[in-house]
Amino acid sequence: MRFGGLDVSKSATGWGIVGPGQVKAGTFRCPVKHPFELKAGALDAGYSGRVGVWFAQAIDAWLIEARPDEVAIEQPLPAIGPRKRAVIDTSSEWAGQAIKMEEVGGSNFAANHLLQGLAFEAARLCAMRGIPARYVSSQTWRSTFKIGQAPKDEKNTSGWYKRRAKSVCLANGLEVKSGDAAEGLCLALYLRKQYYPEDDLFSVAAK
């Protein structure tokens, strides 16, 4: 069997394919630029549509060439609203430092809109080609590879997870050129493990 993995993203979608005597990984980089006049977090149907057209063409071509028997697609995280935290107001004129609340975190609505849409499109394309697909949460496949939680002081958690995935692949003799490709390959390896649980996770023996 041949197993595919897709780490879907607007900017760079990582892919992996694992089959009899074959282990490959790569990245689809979106050429559609964010409109200069479009404010951060805002939506534009024309822009979303152009991204969707490019993505559909790229993934469909990959499905035809790679011929996976099943595909694992990373499940998008749900939208998360900003939270409030207490911080010290150093500008306070009070004898002591006052405490104020500020909003932190939260999902970018536009980024979440694109991510959800592209994950849906990947699943639709698989269905159109008659290829079984499943969503796999990042926590599920990362735990399989013993990739722990990003440090609390890490500002770029996504980048940290991608670097860890790349390190895991390279440490086990699997060549990947980017963190996105590594995550796509890890998804494919995770999917293979569901069929061949007795095999070593990084075994690429022909099946």
Side-chain angles (χ1 to χ4, degrees):
M1 291 185 67
R2 297 165 63 85
F3 304 97
L6 290 172
D7 173 40
V8 176
S9 167
K10 182 271 166 183
S11 57
T13 291
W15 61 266
I17 189 76
V18 178
Q22 181 184 42
V23 178
K24 290 185 177 180
T27 307
F28 297 117
R29 299 194 180 279
C30 182
V32 182
K33 302 299 182 183
H34 186 278
F36 178 77
E37 70 281 0
L38 186 63
K39 295 182 179 179
L43 300 183
D44 179 85
Y47 171 57
S48 296
R50 290 191 297 274
V51 171
V53 168
W54 163 79
F55 183 82
Q57 291 173 342
I59 299 302
D60 196 39
W62 176 74
L63 290 173
I64 294 171
E65 180 181 359
R67 296 180 290 107
D69 294 294
E70 188 170 341
V71 176
I73 304 167
E74 184 171 272
Q75 180 174 300
L77 293 172
I80 301 173
R83 67 183 188 279
K84 290 187 176 183
R85 69 175 179 184
V87 296
I88 297 175
D89 183 3
T90 56
S91 64
S92 173
E93 297 180 358
W94 292 88
Q97 291 179 321
I99 301 296
K100 66 178 182 180
M101 303 300 291
E102 69 174 10
E103 287 190 345
V104 296
S107 303
N108 180 301
F109 178 67
N112 192 66
H113 158 74
L114 286 169
L115 186 58
Q116 298 280 352
L118 296 181
F120 178 92
E121 180 65 11
R124 186 192 72 83
L125 289 166
C126 287
M128 185 180 72
R129 293 286 174 189
I131 301 170
R134 66 174 78 180
Y135 289 128
V136 180
S137 71
S138 56
Q139 299 95 325
T140 297
W141 74 257
R142 284 172 184 157
S143 65
T144 302
F145 290 85
K146 295 181 171 56
I147 297 176
Q149 292 291 322
K152 292 184 178 180
D153 60 349
E154 175 61 53
K155 294 182 179 180
N156 183 3
T157 56
S158 177
W160 185 90
Y161 283 121
K162 292 182 185 300
R163 291 192 298 273
R164 286 288 295 121
K166 184 178 180 180
S167 296
V168 167
C169 288
L170 294 176
N172 286 276
L174 303 179
E175 184 178 350
V176 289
K177 294 183 178 180
S178 71
D180 299 293
E183 293 197 331
L185 183 54
C186 284
L187 280 158
L189 289 167
Y190 166 84
L191 185 56
R192 182 181 184 277
K193 186 68 172 177
Q194 310 314 300
Y195 282 83
Y196 306 114
E198 73 282 0
D199 285 0
D200 178 83
L201 183 60
F202 291 96
S203 170
V204 292
K207 288 288 186 180

